[in-house]
Amino acid sequence: MVVLLDYGAGNVRSVTNAIKCLGETVTIVSHIKDIQSADKLVFPGVGNFGSMMRILNEKNYIRALKDFLKSGKPFLGICLGLHALFEGSDEAPNVKGLGILPGTVKRFDIDLSVPHIGWNGIAIKKPSTTFNSLNGNEKFYFVHSYYVVPENDDDILTTTNYGLEFVSSVRTGNITATQFHPEKSGDAGLTVLKNFLDPSDSIEAPTYTLKETRLAKRIIACLDVRSNDRGDLVVTKGDQYDVRENGDVRNLGKPVVLARRYYQEGADEITFLNITGFRDFPLEDMPMIEVLKQTSENVFVPLTIGGGIRDYTDKNGRNYTALEVAAEYFRSGADKISIGSDAVLIVEEFLRTGKKTGKSSIEQISAVYGNQAVVISIDPRRIYVASPDDGKHNVIKSQINGPNGESYCWYQCTIKGGREGRDVDAVTLARVCEKLGAGEILLNCIDRDGTNSGFDIELINAVKNAVSIPVIASSGAGCAEHFYEVFLKTEAESALAAGIFHRKEIPIAKVKKYLYNRVEVRV
Ligand code: 1PR
């Protein structure tokens, strides 16, 4: 039996599911004595270092945790569970860590997008059983803005490159801790967990590898989900956001089944968008919660969910905050939530007042779950204009002329699934959302959606150049070459597609095969 330390922030369901799928039972810590009596302890951390240490203190877990770490019994820390082992972190300068390992935690100060999100490799620095049955060339899923700096080189198990070479896992005696998320790293991650749960006496893994690792471009499968007219929850797909064909909602399959298929085919991430979430409140629309719960049972890559994340008052007058909605999604297995319509309204308000309120969904959710957990889904549409300056929007020169020969355009944000255009452009929206705490941009494009005509490179460059957080290029993929084009001509960190995967026009593995040797991908 494995004891899992859950301090209430983030997705422990995935870790639990991954351990269960390896045949172990899991007990969640609810009292100090659960830590004291544990034989094996797993500590997955998400969110903010300061709030994690505060909660551990409030629950009086610190003493028991330190005793466990010194006991010689197996301990696995994940992400913030790694940071906690050190003396302190730049993320919360006045807060003490457990101080079990000498050293500290620093923020990335590099010329690349931060957070470091995605699949990266490891260079093994010392012999261990942690990577038994692996060859050391696998990639693992990372999502973090801070990295550990151990004082003792002997503690370092692996390093990874991202703008600099940082320590991506440590191992000392009974203590193993990884910056990457084994529970989100597909088969390689499950193997690392298995090696922890069922350690072998002999080291069968590479004992040292010297290499510079590279972050892979991510290929994301997106499932637009809604109820059809018969009330069945289906994956649908729009044609420039129109999901009806001959009057009926297109039905391309069942969400849980498709997500599992994409995981097996090699998707680096799965995104669910509850596309009628703007009118159907998600906490009343429990099927989406159930979809997440079931998917996270056997899909071990990151899951994002969007649709309807905003404050809401139900018909009985009960108020729900966006944070409560998000919390329910995280508890059900989501790693990230995506905010669409509400982000536009928040940015409009910010542009009117120039003030951060601290109360918007973006600020509240990122404060509790970390910036990396907040994705902004933008649904822009091109507005062609004749001149480069309309005094209000970020206008770009376009290679594609408008209907009246206009050679300039701006990208109008929309809400309610493209039904309502607003007077704010996508570049401004992305910039302000980053300022408010968003960690990633999911950049759709209504003009390209479902057209198979390729990504809107001009849009992606305009937004990517305006922010320092990762951007997911979305809408328009029709063949493997389109993925290559978007990675060649833009700095987007990932590319998302829906229609070509749902219609089985091209499987994800084939896209990856085409990209292999052209751009870094996880295979
Ligand atoms: O506004 O916070 O409730 O979130 C609603 C979410 O639902 C938004 O993220 C919005 O993008 C999405 N959405 C709403 N209506 C639609 C629709 O299609 N009618 N889907 C919709 C947006 C775009 C992508 C699509 C790509 C790739 N779909 O998700 O998967 O365009 O498609 P392709 O590869 O087939 O071209 P809120």
Side-chain angles (χ1 to χ4, degrees):
M1 192 187 44
V2 178
V3 174
L4 195 124
L5 178 54
D6 172 18
Y7 60 94
N11 179 5
V12 296
R13 180 178 288 270
S14 306
V15 185
T16 309
N17 286 341
I19 295 173
K20 280 188 181 161
C21 121
L22 293 166
E24 281 276 3
T25 48
V26 178
T27 302
I28 309 275
V29 171
S30 59
H31 191 271
I32 305 169
K33 66 176 182 340
D34 297 325
I35 301 177
Q36 289 164 336
S37 60
D39 288 327
K40 287 187 190 120
L41 187 65
V42 176
F43 180 15
V46 219
N48 174 286
F49 184 90
S51 73
M52 166 183 69
M53 293 310 302
R54 182 179 49 77
I55 299 170
L56 291 178
N57 268 304
E58 279 169 10
K59 291 185 181 266
N60 278 326
Y61 286 170
I62 302 278
R63 181 77 266 146
L65 201 47
K66 283 186 177 173
D67 288 346
F68 185 92
L69 286 158
K70 289 176 187 159
S71 71
K73 291 192 244 174
F75 171 91
L76 177 66
I78 300 172
C79 197
L80 231 55
L82 161 69
H83 297 190
L85 299 174
F86 288 82
E87 291 158 299
S89 168
D90 283 359
E91 193 174 10
N94 300 317
V95 177
K96 274 195 188 158
L98 297 172
I100 292 289
L101 300 182
T104 183
V105 183
K106 283 195 181 336
R107 190 170 208 284
F108 279 116
D109 181 13
I110 50 176
D111 258 353
L112 296 169
S113 299
V114 176
H116 169 223
I117 301 185
W119 298 77
N120 206 328
I122 50 165
I124 296 172
K125 297 296 168 197
K126 66 174 182 184
S128 80
T129 53
T130 303
F131 302 108
N132 275 359
S133 308
L134 298 173
N135 60 28
N137 291 322
E138 295 81 6
K139 289 194 188 289
F140 296 89
Y141 187 75
F142 290 83
V143 49
H144 60 126
S145 301
Y146 296 81
Y147 60 96
V148 298
V149 185
E151 259 170 39
N152 293 341
D153 285 355
D154 289 352
D155 292 338
I156 300 172
L157 177 58
T158 62
T159 63
T160 294
N161 297 84
Y162 188 64
L164 48 81
E165 185 182 11
F166 71 90
V167 173
S168 48
S169 64
V170 299
R171 180 146 181 189
T172 176
N174 59 309
I175 300 171
T176 309
T178 62
Q179 182 62 70
F180 55 84
H181 288 261
E183 79 284 9
K184 288 283 145 191
S185 297
D187 287 345
L190 292 178
T191 304
V192 166
L193 283 174
K194 184 171 174 297
N195 291 338
F196 168 76
L197 298 173
D198 185 13
S200 140
D201 292 335
S202 57
I203 297 170
E204 300 138 26
T207 53
Y208 187 82
T209 55
L210 180 66
K211 63 176 174 195
E212 191 160 319
T213 70
R214 289 170 65 189
L215 181 67
K217 297 290 186 183
R218 280 171 284 156
I219 305 299
I220 301 175
C222 183
L223 288 76
D224 290 352
V225 180
R226 61 163 286 172
S227 296
N228 65 13
D229 299 330
R230 281 177 292 284
D232 306 321
L233 199 69
V234 298
V235 174
T236 188
K237 183 66 211 73
D239 189 357
Q240 298 186 315
Y241 283 39
D242 180 0
V243 298
R244 288 185 182 268
E245 195 169 289
N246 304 325
D248 283 337
V249 173
R250 280 190 198 94
N251 179 350
L252 294 164
K254 293 193 170 124
V256 179
V257 175
L258 275 190
R260 175 77 184 153
R261 188 181 110 204
Y262 296 143
Y263 169 63
Q264 286 167 335
E265 287 180 5
D268 296 315
E269 248 176 82
I270 312 274
T271 296
F272 293 104
L273 295 175
N274 174 3
I275 68 169
T276 50
F278 70 88
R279 59 167 183 247
D280 307 323
F281 181 55
L283 297 189
E284 284 173 355
D285 189 12
M286 296 311 266
M288 280 312 282
I289 306 270
E290 205 40 51
V291 163
L292 264 180
K293 285 184 179 166
Q294 288 181 25
T295 302
S296 67
E297 273 172 25
N298 52 23
V299 171
F300 300 109
V301 293
L303 303 176
T304 302
I305 177 124
I309 297 179
R310 66 195 147 95
D311 297 342
Y312 184 82
T313 306
D314 72 11
K315 49 187 179 299
N316 303 319
R318 177 166 172 204
N319 295 319
Y320 296 84
T321 64
L323 182 60
E324 286 176 282
V325 182
E328 190 59 37
Y329 278 145
F330 289 125
R331 270 194 293 277
S332 307
D335 300 283
K336 305 189 250 184
I337 53 87
S338 117
I339 304 175
S341 305
D342 199 37
V344 181
L345 305 178
I346 291 165
V347 169
E348 286 178 352
E349 180 67 13
F350 179 86
L351 294 174
R352 245 190 318 273
T353 62
K355 285 198 192 108
K356 290 185 184 180
T357 61
K359 295 200 172 112
S360 70
S361 54
I362 302 173
E363 292 160 285
Q364 290 206 354
I365 300 168
S366 62
V368 177
Y369 292 95
N371 309 44
Q372 81 294 332
V374 179
V375 182
I376 302 301
S377 170
I378 312 183
D379 300 310
R381 135 179 325 123
R382 269 177 184 239
I383 303 289
Y384 286 99
V385 286
S387 109
D389 185 11
D390 71 351
K392 206 159 178 207
H393 307 107
N394 283 283
V395 174
I396 62 156
K397 172 122 184 74
S398 176
Q399 300 293 321
I400 308 159
N401 281 353
N404 301 311
E406 302 95 329
S407 47
Y408 297 92
C409 74
W410 63 281
Y411 290 93
Q412 180 188 41
C413 290
T414 63
I415 59 173
K416 302 180 183 169
R419 286 168 182 79
E420 193 179 318
R422 308 290 293 196
D423 195 22
V424 56
D425 67 76
V427 172
T428 304
L429 187 95
R431 244 191 223 132
V432 175
C433 288
E434 176 179 17
K435 218 181 267 179
L436 293 174
E440 199 170 22
I441 302 291
L442 163 51
L443 187 54
N444 303 297
C445 175
I446 297 180
D447 311 279
R448 297 295 175 109
D449 174 61
T451 62
N452 285 22
S453 60
F455 296 93
D456 188 329
I457 303 294
E458 292 174 343
L459 165 66
I460 297 158
N461 276 326
V463 171
K464 180 67 203 165
N465 293 339
V467 294
S468 64
I469 52 179
V471 169
I472 302 165
S474 164
S475 306
C479 56
E481 287 81 352
H482 287 153
F483 290 88
Y484 182 45
E485 184 191 29
V486 78
F487 292 135
L488 193 68
K489 295 187 178 165
T490 80
E491 297 288 318
E493 280 80 0
S494 34
L496 171 152
I500 54 165
F501 298 149
H502 302 336
R503 294 186 297 264
K504 297 193 176 164
E505 285 161 19
I506 174 162
I508 293 170
K510 216 165 167 187
V511 172
K512 294 242 180 123
K513 198 165 168 215
Y514 179 84
L515 292 176
Y516 189 67
N517 286 336
R518 290 181 167 92
V519 293
E520 189 76 15
V521 285
R522 175 184 73 111
V523 284

